[in-house]
């Protein structure tokens, strides 16, 4: 019943033209997992509002936020710097792993080394410093500055299509590839010597800034999304 009252409140606000428009930023992982269904929901319920969503890496989105060009960011918290101007709210954790196309030279192996996977080229969003610090010593690199990503892109669909049509190894949250996993187009790699991988998505706003009513509605919907931490086997 509470959800029903919230929806009625949102619709009443919209009808009184109090919600307005908003602009926000999204990192590659949120954009490739739960953002599109949420935006579709918003369009169905509030067809008269205008939304601007910028999908990019956290570095560029933070600049847009600090310049007050967008109201908030939803992105992997592992990429965020420590900054007193920012308010960071944890939102969700999603299991992540390495994946290859069906028929890939590594497909069917019980496990592979990180060296073997990296040798085919990694396709991913920007790798957080915390993850790079884990990968570098396993690969025998002196520092994570030497870590090379074969394809770094903020568009999950581009990453998936590249991997499905080449030997590039995907590094993504499971939710971003669950359809391809279920159809058998992609297969999970078990990589030796690594701790569990995940993306830790959070909401980033500017301290002291009052959000627009529409931004508050979107953030409330994000917080209400079911947590899904499935992992392919």
């Amino acid at each position: 019943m509470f959800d029903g009252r919230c929806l009625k409140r949102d619709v009443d606000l919209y009808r009184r033209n109090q919600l307005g428009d908003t602009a926000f930023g999204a990192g590659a992982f949120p954009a490739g997992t739960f953002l599109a269904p949420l935006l579709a929901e918003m369009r169905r319920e509030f067809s008269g509002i205008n939304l601007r969503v910028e999908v990019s890496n956290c570095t560029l989105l933070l600049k847009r936020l600090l310049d007050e060009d967008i109201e908030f960011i939803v992105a992997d918290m592992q990429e965020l710097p420590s900054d007193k101007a920012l308010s960071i709210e944890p939102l969700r954790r999603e299991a992540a792993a390495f994946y290859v196309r069906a028929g890939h030279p590594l497909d069917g192996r019980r496990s592979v080394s990180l060296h073997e996977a990296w040798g085919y080229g990694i396709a991913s969003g920007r790798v957080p410093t915390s993850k790079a610090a884990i990968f570098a010593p396993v690969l025998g690199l002196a520092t994570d500055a030497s870590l090379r990503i074969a394809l770094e892109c903020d568009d999950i669909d581009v990453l998936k299509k590249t991997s499905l049509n080449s030997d590039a190894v995907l590094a993504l949250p499971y939710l971003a590839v669950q359809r391809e996993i279920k159809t058998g187009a992609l297969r999970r790699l078990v990589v030796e010597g690594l701790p569990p991988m995940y993306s830790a998505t959070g909401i980033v706003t500017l301290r002291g800034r009052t959000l627009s009513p529409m931004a508050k509605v979107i953030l409330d919907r994000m917080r209400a999304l079911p947590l899904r931490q499935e992992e392919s086997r």
Side-chain angles (χ1 to χ4, degrees):
M1 299 301 294
F2 175 77
D3 288 343
R5 291 197 301 273
C6 288
L7 175 59
K8 183 178 184 302
R9 178 203 61 195
D10 293 347
V11 173
D12 288 343
L13 282 171
Y14 168 65
R15 286 173 175 168
R16 295 197 300 270
N17 296 317
Q18 293 181 12
L19 284 180
D21 305 329
T22 188
F24 65 94
F29 290 173
T33 54
F34 62 84
L35 184 59
L38 175 61
L39 292 177
E41 176 185 320
M42 301 306 297
R43 291 303 308 157
R44 289 193 298 269
E45 295 182 20
F46 307 108
S47 60
I49 55 93
N50 298 305
L51 304 177
R52 176 165 55 86
V53 183
E54 299 189 18
V55 178
S56 187
N57 63 69
C58 210
T59 300
L60 296 178
L61 291 176
L62 278 175
K63 184 179 185 307
R64 302 285 285 163
L65 180 66
L66 292 170
D67 289 343
E68 299 191 30
D69 291 323
I70 54 179
E71 290 201 70
F72 66 89
I73 299 170
V74 56
D76 194 330
M77 296 187 300
Q78 299 170 103
E79 298 182 66
L80 297 173
S82 177
D83 190 329
K84 293 181 179 180
L86 303 177
S87 176
I88 302 171
E89 174 191 344
L91 183 62
R92 57 197 293 139
R93 280 167 57 114
E94 296 175 4
F98 292 96
Y99 304 93
V100 295
R101 62 172 176 81
H104 187 281
L106 298 178
D107 183 19
R109 299 268 298 274
R110 290 187 63 183
S111 64
V112 302
S113 70
L114 187 60
H115 270 287
E116 289 176 297
W118 220 270
Y120 285 95
I122 300 298
S124 180
R126 179 168 293 191
V127 177
T129 302
S130 59
K131 287 293 187 290
I134 294 172
F135 296 151
V138 177
L139 292 169
L141 301 175
T143 67
D144 56 15
S146 305
L147 197 68
R148 296 177 63 84
I149 305 298
L151 175 59
E152 181 181 291
C153 182
D154 297 318
D155 189 317
I156 298 294
D157 283 338
V158 168
L159 293 171
K160 289 195 294 186
K161 288 176 181 177
T162 299
S163 186
L164 286 167
N165 291 282
S166 72
D167 286 343
V169 177
L170 278 175
L172 290 175
Y174 172 65
L175 273 181
V177 297
Q178 64 175 341
R179 181 176 59 184
E180 291 80 7
I181 292 293
K182 290 177 180 178
T183 63
L186 288 174
R187 311 287 178 84
R188 182 192 174 203
L189 289 181
V190 176
V191 180
E192 303 163 353
L194 292 181
M197 293 171 53
Y198 61 89
S199 67
T201 302
I203 297 166
V204 188
T205 56
L206 290 178
R207 290 190 185 278
R209 178 177 179 178
T210 301
L211 296 176
S212 68
M214 189 72 249
K216 292 178 181 178
V217 170
I218 294 173
L219 289 178
D220 284 344
R221 298 299 174 87
M222 286 186 181
R223 296 182 183 106
L225 289 172
L227 296 180
R228 302 174 63 180
Q229 300 181 44
E230 302 173 78
E231 187 172 0
S232 58
R233 299 294 179 190

